Amino acid sequence: MNIELANASVKYGKKYALKDFTFEFESGKIYCILGGNGCGKTTMVRTLVSKYAPSGVISYVAQEMPSNVNLTVLDVVELGRYNSKKFFSGLSSNDKNLVENALSEMEIEDLKGRVVDTLSGGERQRVMIARSIAQDTEWTILDEPSSSLDVRHTEDVMKKIRNLVDNKGKS
């Protein structure tokens, strides 16, 4: 499924962050949005997310993770499975498999009992990417996914993203 924005406009005060922005993103591809600070990249991403996330088509990894998260890594990744079910319905065995696979994919199985607030910025970023992988959506939008990662983990994450597109049909 392709996703698109058609004539999207977003204003902050008197200034447009997006004005009549139109673009169609084709499924099965990786897109990289480049531009200077304040040019509207995050606004465009948030506009896409607000349009498609409620239908379960998109998962989203924000630039920054909130602090004061008194949840374990496992808790946060499991929250990704509640995108398509009632919150108190519990996780099925399939949900648990998706969570375990996401933890493994991001190589953070050893962190699953740790409280997120005790993690480094790069570890937190990998947790949030794992949560997104566990959601098992067709599209994943990552806003500056390598901003907190060291060089090795940046390369690993980019390879994992390529693998999700090439081998699992994700976009």
Side-chain angles (χ1 to χ4, degrees):
M1 169 186 172
N2 294 350
I3 59 174
E4 69 177 341
L5 288 177
N7 301 313
S9 294
V10 177
K11 221 175 175 182
Y12 297 111
K14 294 181 180 182
K15 184 178 184 223
Y16 280 97
L18 286 179
K19 187 171 183 184
D20 297 324
F21 179 81
T22 299
F23 194 83
E24 182 174 4
F25 298 89
E26 295 178 36
S27 66
K29 293 187 175 187
I30 296 174
Y31 290 89
C32 180
I33 311 300
L34 300 173
N37 292 359
C39 74
K41 300 180 303 289
T42 296
T43 299
M44 189 245 349
V45 163
R46 288 180 180 160
T47 304
L48 267 173
V49 170
S50 68
K51 180 177 180 179
Y52 289 99
S55 65
V57 172
I58 285 180
S59 60
Y60 173 58
V61 178
Q63 285 182 36
E64 297 177 15
M65 183 177 172
S67 57
N68 299 321
V69 177
N70 195 23
L71 298 170
T72 67
V73 167
L74 181 61
D75 294 334
V76 169
V77 177
E78 284 178 342
L79 284 172
R81 293 306 307 147
Y82 289 96
N83 64 322
S84 60
K85 59 175 54 201
K86 292 181 179 171
F87 190 72
F88 294 106
S89 63
L91 296 178
S92 69
S93 60
N94 181 57
D95 293 327
K96 290 177 183 178
N97 285 336
L98 287 166
V99 167
E100 287 300 322
N101 289 339
L103 290 164
S104 175
E105 184 76 27
M106 293 311 300
E107 300 174 15
I108 55 172
E109 307 101 304
D110 60 322
L111 301 177
K112 68 181 173 181
R114 296 255 316 264
V115 173
V116 171
D117 278 351
T118 68
L119 303 177
S120 72
E123 289 169 330
R124 285 175 183 229
Q125 189 76 2
R126 290 167 45 216
V127 169
M128 297 311 291
I129 294 170
R131 181 185 58 86
S132 181
I133 291 170
Q135 281 184 273
D136 197 31
T137 57
E138 189 174 337
W139 284 84
T140 300
I141 295 183
L142 303 112
D143 193 355
E144 298 192 28
S146 63
S147 62
S148 298
L149 299 175
D150 59 35
V151 174
R152 181 182 81 81
H153 285 107
T154 295
E155 185 177 354
D156 287 348
V157 165
M158 296 306 158
K159 285 178 181 177
K160 289 172 193 318
I161 291 168
R162 170 54 64 195
N163 180 54
L164 289 169
V165 171
D166 291 346
N167 299 320
K168 297 192 178 181
K170 305 294 182 179
S171 303

